[in-house]
Amino acid sequence: FVDGNSAGQANYTDIAYSLAELTNGNIVLFGTAAIPLSFLNVLFLAGFSSTGEALWSKTLSSGGGANENARSIVATADGGFIIGAEVPKPCENGFIECNGIGINWHYYIAKFDATGNNQWFKMHGGGTVPSLSNDATDYLREVILSPDGGYLICGHSYAFRKDYATNAQKGTEYFIMKLSTNGEKEWARV
Protein backbone atom coordinates (compact mmCIF):
# COMPACT_ATOMS: atom_id res chain seq x y z
CA PHE A 1 0.00 0.00 0.00
CA VAL A 2 2.63 2.52 0.99
CA ASP A 3 4.36 2.17 -2.39
CA GLY A 4 1.05 2.58 -4.25
CA ASN A 5 0.62 -1.10 -5.11
CA SER A 6 -2.26 -3.39 -4.22
CA ALA A 7 -1.83 -3.80 -0.47
CA GLY A 8 1.88 -4.12 -1.23
CA GLN A 9 1.52 -6.30 -4.35
CA ALA A 10 2.28 -5.14 -7.90
CA ASN A 11 0.06 -5.65 -10.96
CA TYR A 12 -3.30 -6.06 -9.21
CA THR A 13 -6.42 -3.93 -9.39
CA ASP A 14 -7.50 -1.87 -6.40
CA ILE A 15 -10.59 0.33 -6.55
CA ALA A 16 -11.42 3.30 -4.30
CA TYR A 17 -15.17 3.72 -3.77
CA SER A 18 -15.60 6.38 -1.13
CA LEU A 19 -13.79 8.51 1.44
CA ALA A 20 -14.56 10.41 4.61
CA GLU A 21 -12.91 13.27 6.46
CA LEU A 22 -12.90 12.59 10.20
CA THR A 23 -13.45 15.18 12.93
CA ASN A 24 -9.67 15.28 13.59
CA GLY A 25 -9.01 16.25 9.94
CA ASN A 26 -7.66 12.83 8.93
CA ILE A 27 -9.05 11.09 5.85
CA VAL A 28 -10.14 7.46 5.44
CA LEU A 29 -10.35 5.82 2.02
CA PHE A 30 -12.68 2.84 1.52
CA GLY A 31 -12.38 0.46 -1.41
CA THR A 32 -11.36 -3.01 -2.49
CA ALA A 33 -7.96 -4.66 -2.81
CA ALA A 34 -7.15 -7.57 -5.09
CA ILE A 35 -6.10 -10.87 -3.53
CA PRO A 36 -2.98 -11.95 -5.42
CA LEU A 37 -3.40 -14.95 -7.73
CA SER A 38 -7.09 -15.38 -6.89
CA PHE A 39 -9.17 -13.04 -9.11
CA LEU A 40 -10.97 -12.03 -5.90
CA ASN A 41 -10.98 -8.87 -3.82
CA VAL A 42 -11.48 -7.93 -0.18
CA LEU A 43 -12.50 -4.69 1.50
CA PHE A 44 -9.70 -2.18 2.03
CA LEU A 45 -9.38 0.79 4.40
CA ALA A 46 -6.54 3.32 4.52
CA GLY A 47 -6.04 6.26 6.87
CA PHE A 48 -4.23 9.45 5.88
CA SER A 49 -3.29 12.58 7.78
CA SER A 50 -4.73 15.93 6.72
CA THR A 51 -1.49 16.44 4.74
CA GLY A 52 -1.77 13.09 2.90
CA GLU A 53 0.71 11.07 4.95
CA ALA A 54 -0.22 7.36 5.07
CA LEU A 55 -1.06 6.44 8.68
CA TRP A 56 -2.47 2.91 8.52
CA SER A 57 -4.16 0.42 6.21
CA LYS A 58 -6.06 -2.83 6.61
CA THR A 59 -8.02 -5.37 4.65
CA LEU A 60 -11.30 -6.89 5.82
CA SER A 61 -13.07 -10.03 4.67
CA SER A 62 -16.41 -11.61 5.52
CA GLY A 63 -14.92 -15.04 4.83
CA GLY A 64 -17.45 -15.62 2.08
CA GLY A 65 -14.89 -16.67 -0.53
CA ALA A 66 -16.06 -14.30 -3.28
CA ASN A 67 -15.60 -10.69 -4.29
CA GLU A 68 -16.67 -8.12 -1.72
CA ASN A 69 -17.98 -4.71 -2.76
CA ALA A 70 -17.18 -1.51 -0.87
CA ARG A 71 -20.03 1.00 -1.07
CA SER A 72 -20.20 3.75 1.57
CA ILE A 73 -18.19 5.36 4.38
CA VAL A 74 -19.37 8.10 6.74
CA ALA A 75 -17.54 9.97 9.51
CA THR A 76 -19.27 9.65 12.88
CA ALA A 77 -19.67 12.26 15.63
CA ASP A 78 -17.36 10.34 18.01
CA GLY A 79 -14.42 10.85 15.61
CA GLY A 80 -14.60 7.41 14.03
CA PHE A 81 -16.38 6.15 10.92
CA ILE A 82 -18.85 3.54 9.70
CA ILE A 83 -18.68 1.55 6.46
CA GLY A 84 -21.28 -0.27 4.39
CA ALA A 85 -20.50 -3.02 1.88
CA GLU A 86 -21.97 -6.00 0.05
CA VAL A 87 -20.47 -9.34 0.98
CA PRO A 88 -21.28 -12.99 0.25
CA LYS A 89 -22.67 -14.78 3.27
CA PRO A 90 -20.50 -17.74 4.29
CA CYS A 91 -22.15 -20.97 5.44
CA GLU A 92 -21.15 -23.08 8.41
CA ASN A 93 -19.51 -25.55 6.03
CA GLY A 94 -17.26 -22.79 4.63
CA PHE A 95 -19.02 -22.57 1.29
CA ILE A 96 -20.88 -19.53 0.00
CA GLU A 97 -24.61 -19.56 0.71
CA CYS A 98 -26.31 -19.88 -2.66
CA ASN A 99 -29.89 -19.62 -3.77
CA GLY A 100 -29.63 -21.90 -6.79
CA ILE A 101 -28.90 -19.02 -9.14
CA GLY A 102 -25.95 -17.21 -7.62
CA ILE A 103 -24.44 -15.84 -4.47
CA ASN A 104 -26.66 -14.51 -1.70
CA TRP A 105 -25.25 -11.04 -1.05
CA HIS A 106 -25.75 -9.45 2.34
CA TYR A 107 -24.89 -6.07 3.67
CA TYR A 108 -21.97 -5.63 5.99
CA ILE A 109 -21.95 -2.65 8.35
CA ALA A 110 -18.90 -1.98 10.54
CA LYS A 111 -17.95 0.79 12.96
CA PHE A 112 -14.33 1.87 13.55
CA ASP A 113 -12.52 4.38 15.73
CA ALA A 114 -10.35 7.14 14.22
CA THR A 115 -7.29 4.88 14.02
CA GLY A 116 -9.08 2.05 12.17
CA ASN A 117 -9.74 -0.25 15.12
CA ASN A 118 -12.97 -2.18 14.64
CA GLN A 119 -15.59 -1.49 17.33
CA TRP A 120 -18.34 -3.74 15.95
CA PHE A 121 -19.71 -5.24 12.73
CA LYS A 122 -23.06 -6.62 11.65
CA MET A 123 -24.31 -8.54 8.64
CA HIS A 124 -27.92 -7.96 7.59
CA GLY A 125 -29.95 -9.15 4.64
CA GLY A 126 -30.81 -12.28 2.71
CA GLY A 127 -34.11 -12.68 4.46
CA THR A 128 -34.05 -9.99 7.16
CA VAL A 129 -35.93 -7.53 4.95
CA PRO A 130 -39.72 -7.91 5.41
CA SER A 131 -41.58 -10.00 2.79
CA LEU A 132 -38.42 -11.62 1.47
CA SER A 133 -37.11 -15.07 2.25
CA ASN A 134 -33.56 -16.42 2.36
CA ASP A 135 -33.87 -16.60 -1.42
CA ALA A 136 -33.12 -12.87 -1.49
CA THR A 137 -29.87 -11.14 -2.22
CA ASP A 138 -29.38 -7.60 -0.97
CA TYR A 139 -27.33 -4.79 -2.49
CA LEU A 140 -26.30 -1.90 -0.24
CA ARG A 141 -25.87 1.53 -1.79
CA GLU A 142 -25.48 4.10 1.02
CA VAL A 143 -25.09 4.57 4.75
CA ILE A 144 -25.98 7.90 6.39
CA LEU A 145 -26.10 9.17 9.97
CA SER A 146 -29.50 9.39 11.64
CA PRO A 147 -30.29 12.40 13.90
CA ASP A 148 -30.69 10.04 16.90
CA GLY A 149 -27.10 8.78 16.57
CA GLY A 150 -28.02 5.62 14.68
CA TYR A 151 -27.71 4.91 10.98
CA LEU A 152 -29.90 4.62 7.90
CA ILE A 153 -28.96 2.33 5.04
CA CYS A 154 -30.56 1.95 1.65
CA GLY A 155 -30.22 -0.28 -1.36
CA HIS A 156 -32.23 -2.84 -3.21
CA SER A 157 -33.18 -6.46 -2.73
CA TYR A 158 -33.72 -9.10 -5.38
CA ALA A 159 -35.80 -12.18 -4.63
CA PHE A 160 -35.12 -15.26 -6.73
CA ARG A 161 -38.34 -17.00 -5.73
CA LYS A 162 -41.85 -16.82 -7.11
CA ASP A 163 -44.77 -15.27 -5.29
CA TYR A 164 -46.81 -18.46 -5.11
CA ALA A 165 -50.07 -16.59 -4.54
CA THR A 166 -49.80 -14.90 -7.94
CA ASN A 167 -47.23 -17.21 -9.61
CA ALA A 168 -45.26 -14.08 -10.52
CA GLN A 169 -41.48 -14.01 -10.34
CA LYS A 170 -40.29 -11.64 -7.63
CA GLY A 171 -37.93 -8.94 -8.79
CA THR A 172 -35.97 -6.01 -7.45
CA GLU A 173 -37.39 -3.85 -4.67
CA TYR A 174 -35.83 -0.90 -2.85
CA PHE A 175 -35.17 -1.15 0.86
CA ILE A 176 -34.38 1.23 3.68
CA MET A 177 -33.29 0.08 7.11
CA LYS A 178 -32.81 1.91 10.41
CA LEU A 179 -29.97 0.72 12.63
CA SER A 180 -29.25 1.60 16.26
CA THR A 181 -25.95 3.13 17.38
CA ASN A 182 -24.51 -0.39 17.74
CA GLY A 183 -25.78 -1.64 14.36
CA GLU A 184 -28.86 -3.56 15.52
CA LYS A 185 -31.81 -3.47 13.12
CA GLU A 186 -34.62 -1.28 14.47
CA TRP A 187 -36.85 -1.50 11.38
CA ALA A 188 -36.77 -2.18 7.66
CA ARG A 189 -39.10 -1.28 4.78
CA VAL A 190 -39.34 -2.57 1.25
Side-chain angles (χ1 to χ4, degrees), residues 57-182:
S57 66
K58 64 173 53 188
T59 57
L60 309 167
S61 176
S62 68
N67 284 323
E68 299 176 342
N69 301 309
R71 293 295 178 208
S72 184
I73 183 171
V74 178
T76 55
D78 63 1
F81 59 95
I82 187 167
I83 62 169
E86 302 160 2
V87 299
K89 183 177 180 187
C91 289
E92 291 176 10
N93 63 8
F95 293 100
I96 299 169
E97 181 177 304
C98 292
N99 49 32
I101 296 175
I103 296 169
N104 265 15
W105 291 96
H106 297 261
Y107 31 96
Y108 175 89
I109 309 295
K111 172 74 173 69
F112 297 84
D113 68 16
T115 57
N117 296 310
N118 184 257
Q119 296 177 315
W120 55 259
F121 78 91
K122 303 288 181 184
M123 286 180 66
H124 296 286
T128 63
V129 177
S131 81
L132 299 179
S133 73
N134 279 324
D135 294 332
T137 192
D138 298 309
Y139 300 97
L140 185 132
R141 290 297 175 247
E142 189 169 14
V143 177
I144 64 170
L145 302 178
S146 176
D148 67 358
Y151 311 98
L152 291 164
I153 61 174
C154 72
H156 62 278
S157 184
Y158 182 84
F160 296 99
R161 62 180 167 79
K162 286 187 175 184
D163 180 337
Y164 294 104
T166 63
N167 203 30
Q169 184 70 37
K170 289 285 193 177
T172 302
E173 299 175 290
Y174 75 89
F175 75 79
I176 184 170
M177 182 179 285
K178 172 70 171 71
L179 302 177
S180 68
T181 56
N182 64 353

